[in-house]
Amino acid sequence: MCKTAVGGPGDPLSAGINASIFFMMAMPFVLFAAVGGWLAYMFWSSGRAVQHPNPDLLSAEREASR
Amino acid sequence: MMARSANTAVAHDLAIEEERLHLRVVEPQDGGPPHPPAAPPVSNTRVAIAMFLVAESMFFAGLVGAYLVFRVGSVVWPPAGLPALPLTVTWINTVFLFFSGVAVVSGLRGIRRGDQRALRRRLLLTAALGAVFVSVQGWEWAGLVHHGLTLSSGPYGGTFYLLIGTHAAHVLGAMGWVLWVTAAAQRGRYSVENHDGVEMCAVYWIYVCALWGLLFGLVYH
């Protein structure tokens, strides 16, 4: 940004632009983490349903298939 | 040999479970119709609404970023000589919006158990509370304009009306969506098995309510 548009370190406008930049840079990461975490949880919870089936149900179906 | 038979038994058990959960298409041995294909862990509907909300969030992030430039960059905020924002009335208005979120969740739960009447009633209640919220905001704005806070009242007025006005426009859009879903529910479109439209609408309404919570805390305090 142009040096003449923004004052020195003590200029409150500098602080405002700094805060705004940090906020807007952080937002994509926050959203990616939120959506990615939600997707990961959905895939993980559906995967657990296959890996840990009901043992009682398995025994009954194994008997029925013999 | 015994290890191989144990592995075969495990594979057979897993195959039975996968078939039970409809995770793969299986041609039945008796010549009947094939099992339906697997449903993905996350439905296309949910992915779509998630992408839409991400886009909305980035849109509001830009507006909030602009607001932060002026708010953090000002020595005195709000600037002297401008009317104070009506905090008490807005708190009450926020409660109305909160209960509209409760109503839409209640309607979604209703259709999940097959209660069509509850769905229609809760959706109408949601739209009504949303209308109250927008009306009270309009009344607030009329008062603020009368006391001198306008769009051209410097960065304070400009960012206030931009942020809150954009949110109000989203509430109006969400209300239109709720009313459209209500009309579809009146025609009996939704059921226990098929209510993705209601779910998407409810998620968006809750998003708008949560967004108001953030904006209210940021702008009014």
Side-chain angles (χ1 to χ4, degrees):
Chain A
M1 200 157 194
C2 178
K3 210 172 178 179
T4 56
V6 182
D11 183 19
L13 184 59
S14 302
I17 292 173
N18 202 36
S20 176
I21 289 172
F22 272 122
F23 173 77
M24 285 195 287
M25 282 186 66
M27 275 304 288
F29 292 97
V30 168
L31 292 171
F32 183 78
V35 175
W38 170 66
L39 286 173
Y41 171 74
M42 295 297 281
F43 276 87
W44 174 77
S45 62
S46 70
R48 276 178 65 85
V50 174
Q51 290 171 10
H52 300 283
N54 186 346
D56 296 333
L57 176 68
L58 272 183
S59 302
E61 288 184 339
R62 190 187 300 178
E63 288 297 323
S65 65
R66 281 184 185 163
Chain B
M1 185 104 148
M2 288 183 66
R4 185 191 288 181
S5 64
N7 288 338
T8 305
V10 169
H12 180 65
D13 292 342
L14 266 177
I16 292 173
E17 191 58 21
E18 284 178 343
E19 183 180 330
R20 183 182 75 83
L21 292 174
H22 296 283
L23 291 178
R24 57 188 175 89
V25 178
V26 175
E27 296 294 337
Q29 295 173 355
D30 60 358
H35 293 306
V42 181
S43 68
N44 293 338
T45 308
R46 289 182 173 180
V47 171
I49 195 66
M51 288 173 62
F52 181 55
L53 294 185
V54 165
E56 290 273 80
S57 299
M58 288 309 299
F59 171 70
F60 274 98
L63 297 180
V64 169
Y67 176 79
L68 285 177
V69 169
F70 294 112
R71 175 155 186 178
V72 178
S74 296
V75 176
V76 177
W77 189 271
L82 291 173
L85 299 176
L87 207 56
T88 308
V89 173
T90 312
W91 260 114
I92 297 169
N93 214 19
T94 303
V95 170
F96 280 126
L97 197 64
F98 170 76
F99 279 114
S100 73
V102 172
V104 79
V105 169
S106 175
L108 180 60
R109 285 180 176 170
I111 192 60
R112 281 177 176 166
R113 60 175 187 268
D115 191 344
Q116 298 275 354
R117 194 172 164 206
L119 171 67
R120 290 192 295 268
R121 285 185 160 189
R122 299 295 185 275
L123 287 178
L124 284 173
L125 178 62
T126 302
L129 289 172
V132 167
F133 175 81
V134 173
S135 303
V136 170
Q137 273 212 317
W139 175 76
E140 276 182 22
W141 282 20
L144 287 171
V145 168
H146 178 72
H147 286 97
L149 183 66
T150 63
L151 255 177
S152 52
S153 301
Y156 184 68
T159 53
F160 170 77
Y161 286 111
L162 181 64
L163 259 178
I164 306 303
T166 307
H167 177 265
H170 279 74
V171 173
L172 285 172
M175 270 174 56
W177 192 353
V178 167
L179 290 172
W180 186 85
V181 170
T182 308
Q186 289 278 9
R187 295 192 300 269
R189 178 172 175 169
Y190 303 113
S191 63
V192 176
E193 297 83 19
N194 175 25
H195 55 270
D196 283 354
V198 180
E199 185 175 328
M200 276 203 296
C201 180
V203 167
Y204 185 63
W205 187 267
I206 292 165
Y207 172 80
V208 165
C209 294
L211 186 63
W212 172 250
L214 293 173
L215 293 181
F216 179 49
L218 183 68
V219 176
Y220 280 78
H221 293 89

